[in-house]
Amino acid sequence: MGRELCVGAVVPCTGRLSLLGDPLSFVLALLAPAVPHVVNGGRRYPLRLASRDSRSDPGTARRAVRELVEQEGAQVVLTLGGTQVLPAVADACEELGVPCVSTTFPWQAYVYGRGADPSRPFTWTYHFAWGLDDIAGVFAEMWQLCAPRPAPVGCLWNDQLPGRLLRHPGRGFLPRAGGRGHRLVDPGSYPEPATTFAPHIGSFLRAGTEIVTTAATERDLALFHREAAEHGLRPRLITSSRWLTYPCTASDLSGAGIATLVYWSPRHPYRSSLDGTTPALLAETYEQRTGNQWLQPLGLAYALVEVAVHALSTAGDPADRRSVAEAIGRTRLETIAGPLDWTGGPTPNVAPIPLVGGQWQPGGRHPAELAIVTNTRLPQLRTDADLTFAR
């Protein structure tokens, strides 16, 4: 029997990101008794899962990493989501020399937002997610369904990292989004949280905009939708990433014709490398035990633990953090979130996952359910509804 190993996780259990953290908390509790050890080279090592609450705050997240390393002896740290919190966790791991695996954050934001580039890769930190170019590709496909001929698309982008990256001329979204001939109308950034969208609405009206794309919070998008109606702007389609990948609770957005990106669902054709669990079974288990509707980060949270266990099982020395980091860097693994491969890019330390198009539509088990409306990038996942538009 080898020495005890520890997988640490920084989870936003409280604060504004708690909705995102709930799936990871659930997965850790679910898998702790199911994965009591790892086997490496024929030797069995006891395994413990430990977590700390980031409180949705980057400073607290950094302290959480230090506690996991110094108090719990974590060989690897896991985390997901949060424009400021995820980079804080990854940077703290880089500084402390502990491997980190993260997800639910566009890879360009992860790489360029932290000051790296392909010629200067990170040493300790690894990520799996989609790219801004993938978001643009899915959104442009839905714009074309709404307006077969090129049409103006209004851009509702904030003044923070998401907005800066979305409008960057060479970092993914902007060049890909314009590739099908749609003209992007960008009136400029807005502060988050927003107080009014009147200037943006005026620009969209003058441009004849019937499609809007955004990465706004649910609160800000609801404000935009109310003010747009007051000014006579009625977009037929709004494509929204970020917060609208989760079930929408804002009654103001009912009938708004909102479409979003889908990176995981109960219908995805994958299985866990740990125990063969399917997305459908995981989602059903989550709903039965929590009483809450399944969330997209659920599958990626499960995959985080899969990657950590695989790295500890294949590292030259699972107790040595550098050896574990090297194992993550050569990982190619079939997971409940799909195949993850850190050996092929799109840039060092990043494994890509595909996106498809989704839309919140009236449901059966839930008031609104996420329908798959485009599947070009994952044709083995069937669509189950047509994209609908606001009238």
Side-chain angles (χ1 to χ4, degrees):
M1 181 76 71
R3 59 168 284 189
E4 182 184 68
L5 304 175
C6 176
V7 173
V10 179
V11 187
C13 299
T14 56
R16 73 184 192 94
L17 300 176
S18 58
L19 182 67
L20 179 60
D22 179 67
L24 182 52
S25 294
F26 174 82
V27 163
L28 293 172
L30 183 70
L31 290 179
V35 192
H37 62 266
V38 297
V39 177
N40 182 304
R43 192 175 186 184
R44 180 174 295 190
Y45 294 79
L47 179 66
R48 180 168 49 88
L49 305 183
S51 66
R52 291 291 190 278
D53 183 5
S54 71
R55 300 180 185 176
S56 304
D57 173 74
T60 305
R62 284 179 169 274
R63 290 192 293 274
V65 172
R66 186 169 293 278
E67 289 179 10
L68 288 169
V69 172
E70 296 179 352
Q71 298 176 15
E72 303 287 355
Q75 274 76 34
V76 58
V77 172
L78 312 176
T79 197
L80 47 69
T83 303
Q84 298 178 7
V85 175
L86 187 150
V89 172
D91 287 346
C93 289
E94 199 73 33
E95 293 163 8
L96 292 172
V98 60
C100 176
V101 186
S102 56
T103 188
T104 67
F105 195 56
W107 69 260
Q108 289 95 337
Y110 174 85
V111 173
Y112 301 118
R114 296 175 55 217
D117 60 48
S119 66
R120 294 182 294 112
F122 303 114
T123 302
W124 297 96
T125 50
Y126 297 84
H127 190 70
F128 65 93
W130 52 93
L132 297 172
D133 49 334
D134 300 311
I135 298 174
V138 170
F139 282 3
E141 186 175 3
M142 292 192 284
W143 300 343
Q144 196 161 11
L145 291 173
C146 180
R149 295 181 179 179
V153 176
C155 302
L156 204 64
W157 293 336
N158 68 20
D159 60 358
Q160 298 179 23
L161 179 62
R164 294 196 298 272
L165 286 171
L166 286 166
R167 59 170 51 89
H168 192 282
R171 293 269 162 90
F173 188 95
L174 200 61
R176 181 72 178 272
R180 298 194 185 195
H182 295 280
R183 180 170 64 90
L184 300 184
V185 180
D186 182 7
S189 61
Y190 66 89
E192 189 175 283
T195 56
T196 182
F197 287 104
H200 294 76
I201 292 167
S203 294
F204 296 163
L205 283 169
R206 289 190 292 273
T209 299
E210 292 189 338
I211 302 171
V212 171
T213 191
T214 184
T217 63
E218 185 176 323
R219 174 205 170 278
D220 283 352
L221 190 53
L223 173 63
F224 168 78
H225 190 242
R226 283 197 308 273
E227 291 190 338
E230 292 168 0
H231 288 80
L233 175 67
R234 293 176 174 82
R236 296 186 65 222
L237 177 67
I238 298 174
T239 53
S240 177
S241 57
R242 203 166 157 216
W243 285 95
L244 268 294
T245 57
Y246 314 125
C248 177
T249 59
S251 59
D252 301 38
L253 294 175
S254 59
I258 297 175
T260 189
L261 56 90
V262 179
Y263 48 83
W264 187 86
S265 79
R267 299 181 294 286
H268 273 62
Y270 304 135
R271 287 184 178 272
S272 167
S273 61
L274 291 176
D275 51 16
T277 294
T278 63
L281 178 58
L282 177 59
E284 182 67 22
T285 303
Y286 178 80
E287 293 194 349
Q288 287 181 351
R289 296 193 183 184
T290 68
N292 298 323
Q293 188 172 358
W294 67 269
L295 303 169
Q296 290 200 57
L298 184 62
L300 276 61
Y302 206 98
L304 281 173
V305 180
E306 291 184 68
V307 172
V309 171
H310 180 267
L312 292 171
S313 300
T314 58
D317 179 358
D320 177 71
R321 291 173 180 144
R322 185 171 294 279
S323 182
V324 174
E326 292 170 353
I328 297 171
R330 60 176 179 266
T331 290
R332 300 175 67 184
L333 184 67
E334 298 286 336
T335 75
I336 201 168
L340 300 180
D341 182 359
W342 272 275
T343 67
T347 191
N349 304 72
V350 170
I353 60 175
L355 291 179
V356 297
Q359 187 174 43
W360 292 101
Q361 298 184 356
R365 295 180 60 180
H366 307 284
E369 294 177 354
L370 188 58
I372 307 299
V373 296
T374 70
N375 66 346
T376 301
R377 288 151 191 81
L378 191 63
Q380 60 267 45
L381 174 66
R382 64 176 177 83
T383 60
D384 48 21
D386 293 327
L387 181 65
T388 62
F389 310 108
R391 296 181 178 178

